Amino acid sequence: MARAFDAIVIGTGIGGLTAGLSLQRAGRSVLLLEAGKQFGGMLNPFARKHYHFDVGIHYVGEAGPGQTMRGVLDSLGLEEIRFREINPDCIDRYVFDGYEAKLVKGIDRWGDLLVKDFPKEEVAIRRFLDLMRGCETLSKAAMKRPTLAEAVRVLKMSGDLIPLFTRPYSDLLARYFKDPVLRNVFAGPGGDIGVPPSRASAITSIVLLTHYLGGAYYPVGGSGAMRDAYVTALEKHGAELKRNALVRRIEVLGKHKFAVETEKGERFEARSVISNVDVKNTVEMIHGKKPSYRTRRKAKSIRPSLGSFCVYVATDLDVSKSGVTDANIWHYGTNDIEALYQTVYDNRIPEKPFFFLTSPTLKDPESERAPAGHQIVEFITFAPTEPFKPWFEKPAMKRGPAYGAIKEEIAEKVLESAERYVPGLRDHIVLKESATPATVWHFVRGREGGIYGPEHSPDQTTFRRFTTQIGIPGLYLAGASVLGAGIMPCLISGMMASKACMKHLGRQKAGA
């Protein structure tokens, strides 16, 4: 006979962990199923020898005292998760051809810096900053799931923002700014959602920028410390967690009954299910009562985000002597951001990749991520999925010499450009590892190897994205398919899904 729970959570990324812990703390019996060997999804770090690398967390916003993420973690009893603030005087560096900008904490402070470099655009800059404040107000209201009356009030206050929900970011930037370099600066952090301005949702891009202007943080102990705190708390409160449990089927047995089957033939029953995996994968797994035709059509038509290529390096260099700090570096190297992305969309590997550079050992110097005198530097760029498709179903570490050759080719191109920031790096590499879209597919089942869930374009964001509801009472969504990619949106999606689930379970109890 199948074991029964109040709720089954499929996938243990930050959204699934949050949903599961919220439910378990409320006294519900919860089973969390993880397809991989380790819990955490993109929170799961990996180790090579004495070096520890992060995969999916490089900085977060809203983690300071009184801010949203800090409040959610505290409400879950996760006070032990601590954050170190990245230098507020330089959070990001955006490097273009002949110009470098830096992101600092505080909308007004950042605006003042930009006005110094672009004095002719001062009026436009100030107007755009006002627009950003309005978007921030709207975003925070949406996160709290306001009542209809509250939503109407906020929309009246932010009436000028409505067109941003259907407009690409490039249109908005062109409307405000004449200087193309200034447009690039405002598009600088776009890599965090993986789309160029011409394909990016305007409202999402602005909210992303304001998110980090409120301060940026890095978890002490890295992503692994966050994951471990969640798992410990779940086990403490009696939740059951299973690794190596790839779910193949979600069967709707009735209004208040579900069965979940794994690839190994294990079967579990529950009164509710929360899926923290890609919505397209989720819809394909549902049997019995199907979601509506409209929902299935919407899921089928989703465009995934771009794939990524990551290079993880351990070095015996003191990279801080080269000028690298705890700030992230967005290396574009050109003023044509659109062309950089277009190469990837054309399924070509860029000759000179643009990349994100980060050093976890500089962000978190007290943690023992590397032996004394050694440091870790990580690089992330975007890569086409098609060249890696032949290896999607091949086991990790056993994909053969052809796969190794293409990895080495791209890694060398990234590291060659990286010498601009860390001279001599290639001669001081102690350990190097690379990850491709095939890696993402293997470990977290990212659709088409994408790292950000559905593409963050105007037709796939905000009210056009999926909510926690999928049209089947008792079955809910969490993760990047809901509010968007990133630690904060996924964490909030987990809270939203758990609240919907609690409401569903409460109705059952009342009707029993």
Side-chain angles (χ1 to χ4, degrees), residues 190-195 306-309 330 341 344 348-350 353-355 380-384 410 451-452:
D192 276 325
I193 53 175
V195 277
L306 288 175
S308 66
F309 186 92
W330 291 93
Y341 278 93
V344 181
R348 293 183 289 121
I349 297 170
F354 62 110
F355 56 80
I380 305 170
T381 186
F382 295 105
I410 302 175
I451 57 173
Y452 293 134

Side-chain angles (χ1 to χ4, degrees), residues 385-494:
T385 296
E386 285 302 319
F388 298 97
K389 278 287 186 70
W391 296 286
F392 265 43
E393 300 301 333
K394 301 287 185 181
M397 312 299 288
K398 296 180 181 179
R399 295 190 175 111
Y403 180 72
I406 192 171
K407 284 174 63 178
E408 186 61 30
E409 176 190 353
I410 302 175
E412 181 59 25
K413 289 178 179 180
V414 171
L415 293 173
E416 181 181 2
S417 295
E419 294 264 346
R420 168 176 178 170
Y421 305 101
V422 189
L425 176 62
R426 285 180 294 174
D427 295 328
H428 288 268
I429 292 177
V430 178
L431 185 147
K432 181 179 69 177
E433 184 63 84
S434 300
T436 75
T439 313
V440 174
W441 167 253
H442 177 81
F443 285 104
V444 297
R445 287 298 189 269
R447 200 79 189 190
E448 297 292 314
I451 57 173
Y452 293 134
E455 182 183 77
H456 290 74
S457 52
D459 63 333
Q460 295 191 160
T461 51
T462 58
F463 58 87
R464 291 179 172 178
R465 211 170 182 88
F466 275 87
T467 68
T468 57
Q469 312 288 330
I470 199 169
I472 298 176
L475 179 56
Y476 306 100
L477 300 173
S481 296
V482 180
L483 295 175
I487 296 297
M488 179 70 170
C490 290
L491 177 139
I492 296 299
S493 77

Side-chain angles (χ1 to χ4, degrees), residues 93 95 329-333 340 353-357 417 420-421:
R93 293 167 57 189
V95 183
I329 298 175
W330 291 93
H331 171 78
Y332 291 101
L340 294 174
F354 62 110
F355 56 80
F356 173 88
L357 183 162
S417 295
R420 168 176 178 170
Y421 305 101

Side-chain angles (χ1 to χ4, degrees), residues 50 92 116 131 172 177 239 255 293 323 327 434 452 455 471 505:
H50 301 293
D92 279 340
K116 287 181 181 179
L131 182 73
L172 183 69
F177 306 118
K255 188 175 181 181
Y293 171 75
S434 300
Y452 293 134
E455 182 183 77
L505 294 172

Side-chain angles (χ1 to χ4, degrees), residues 46-63:
F46 72 93
R48 294 288 185 270
K49 298 182 179 179
H50 301 293
Y51 303 94
H52 299 266
F53 302 92
D54 283 325
V55 174
I57 183 168
H58 306 290
Y59 61 153
V60 297
E62 292 288 330

Side-chain angles (χ1 to χ4, degrees), residues 199 278-281 283-284 292-305 447-448 453-457 459-461 464-466:
R199 297 173 70 128
D278 185 272
V279 65
K280 201 168 186 176
N281 296 350
V283 169
E284 290 172 353
S292 68
Y293 171 75
R294 182 178 180 182
T295 297
R296 283 181 278 133
R297 184 179 62 181
K298 180 178 178 180
K300 188 176 181 179
S301 66
I302 285 176
R303 298 183 307 280
S305 57
R447 200 79 189 190
E448 297 292 314
E455 182 183 77
H456 290 74
S457 52
D459 63 333
Q460 295 191 160
T461 51
R464 291 179 172 178
R465 211 170 182 88
F466 275 87

Side-chain angles (χ1 to χ4, degrees), residues 327-397:
N328 307 299
I329 298 175
W330 291 93
H331 171 78
Y332 291 101
T334 177
N335 291 324
D336 192 349
I337 294 178
E338 295 290 337
L340 294 174
Y341 278 93
Q342 191 57 51
T343 301
V344 181
Y345 287 122
D346 291 341
N347 282 313
R348 293 183 289 121
I349 297 170
E351 284 300 317
K352 293 185 177 181
F354 62 110
F355 56 80
F356 173 88
L357 183 162
T358 180
S359 173
T361 44
L362 292 180
K363 284 183 166 70
D364 186 23
E366 297 177 5
S367 296
E368 298 179 356
R369 296 167 166 277
H374 290 207
Q375 289 181 335
I376 291 171
V377 187
E378 299 175 358
F379 304 88
I380 305 170
T381 186
F382 295 105
T385 296
E386 285 302 319
F388 298 97
K389 278 287 186 70
W391 296 286
F392 265 43
E393 300 301 333
K394 301 287 185 181
M397 312 299 288

